[in-house]
Amino acid sequence: MPHLQRYDNRRVLVTGGGSGIGQATVLRLLDEGGRVAAADISEAGLKDTLAKAGAHSENLTTVLMDIGEEASVKAGVAEAVAHLGGLDTLVNAAGVLRSAHFEQTTVADFEQVLRINLVGTFLVTREAISALREGTSPAVVNFSSTSAAFAHPYMSAYAASKAGVQAMTHALAMEFSKQGIRFNAVQPGSISSGMTDGSGEAKQSIGPGLPADADFTLFTKASPSLPLPDGAIFAQPDAVAAVVAMLGSADAYFVTGTEVRVDGGSHM
């Protein structure tokens, strides 16, 4: 089924564009007519996204970027904006997930998750603000998580980072409201991605690695209510990409400072 063409003449930067939900978002926005810069730490992932773009590849550029490193972000965002000739939508999809018993979580692991998910979102957004200010119906879509508001065992660092992203989204929505820049967040849950299946590469695609003795009865509240085909427990990334596409488009002109859960009714 053909998609709406809400991204004609729209310039978009998507971080985490080399796998999972980020990649699905890149492909969705290209299909809607957008010009997209996909950023990721994984060169192999970006090549895969470019290959999957097919006929839309002429509207896609790729940027190697580590969102946890300030210098890399400054160079990467500048490269993307220069190639696109400006910026209308920013999608902060890059992130990591580490899981462990709380008392076995190291300071280094905790800080790495915060560095990528929270500080990384801050860095990319800060570097993109000046371009967004000059954009058309500018919008930022951040990635929070259902773990920001609901209990997800063994994921204390991840939950803290995503709650921080959600709170920051609200603060920025107010701060930039008079400048017309909208900030919203999605809260994915029960979605197949590079983080949930362990695929991907390096710091921005680390699998959850649940403890071997994890008590899976603690996850009963995280099961989706909506049925999935073939008994699957995770929905496909395009379920989130569709919501991101709406929030990042001019269709959502009166939506800011909020979050949208995409979890199949796991947390009703």
Side-chain angles (χ1 to χ4, degrees):
M1 179 182 296
H3 293 132
L4 299 172
Q5 294 297 292
R6 293 176 293 193
Y7 283 80
D8 282 344
N9 301 314
R10 198 158 181 80
R11 303 155 297 181
V12 188
L13 170 59
V14 180
T15 69
S19 65
I21 301 171
Q23 183 182 76
T25 297
V26 170
L27 299 178
R28 173 66 186 244
L29 301 187
L30 287 170
D31 196 45
E32 289 205 26
R35 293 174 52 218
V36 182
D40 203 284
I41 197 172
S42 170
E43 184 174 7
L46 290 174
K47 288 180 178 178
D48 182 58
T49 301
L50 191 60
K52 289 177 178 175
H56 296 308
S57 59
E58 63 183 17
N59 289 323
L60 173 63
T61 187
T62 60
V63 179
L64 276 174
M65 186 166 70
D66 180 349
I67 67 167
E69 299 295 335
E70 185 173 14
S72 180
V73 171
K74 285 186 174 182
V77 172
E79 178 184 344
V81 171
H83 185 87
L84 295 170
L87 191 64
D88 305 305
T89 297
L90 168 63
V91 180
N92 284 306
V96 298
L97 170 61
R98 282 185 181 257
S99 304
H101 288 289
F102 178 73
E103 69 273 20
Q104 295 170 4
T105 301
T106 68
V107 172
D109 285 346
F110 200 95
E111 288 182 341
Q112 185 191 41
V113 173
L114 290 178
R115 180 72 188 181
I116 299 298
N117 294 351
L118 182 55
V119 178
T121 297
F122 153 73
L123 287 172
V124 176
T125 304
R126 187 190 67 183
E127 294 306 308
I129 278 293
S130 60
L132 287 165
R133 191 178 283 118
E134 302 301 319
T136 301
S137 188
V140 177
V141 183
N142 289 330
F143 270 61
S144 180
S145 164
T146 52
S147 67
F150 302 95
H152 286 205
Y154 314 116
M155 302 180 190
S156 55
Y158 184 73
S161 70
K162 292 301 187 177
V165 168
Q166 187 166 309
M168 182 168 64
T169 300
H170 285 242
L172 295 176
M174 180 61 75
E175 182 171 346
F176 291 95
S177 58
K178 291 186 178 180
Q179 297 176 50
I181 306 177
R182 297 181 295 103
F183 285 82
N184 292 292
V186 289
Q187 293 181 322
S190 299
I191 304 294
S192 176
S193 71
M195 289 195 296
T196 59
D197 63 20
S199 65
E201 179 178 312
K203 290 199 294 186
Q204 288 162 36
S205 296
I206 299 172
L210 287 172
D213 61 345
D215 182 354
F216 286 93
T217 65
L218 299 176
F219 289 90
T220 54
K221 292 183 179 180
S223 299
S225 299
L226 292 176
L228 291 169
D230 301 321
I233 60 173
F234 293 124
Q236 292 303 304
D238 63 346
V240 182
V243 176
V244 172
M246 183 277 291
L247 291 173
S249 76
D251 275 0
Y253 68 93
F254 204 55
V255 182
T256 194
T258 192
E259 48 278 335
V260 180
R261 273 202 324 270
V262 189
D263 65 353
S266 301
H267 301 90
M268 289 191 289

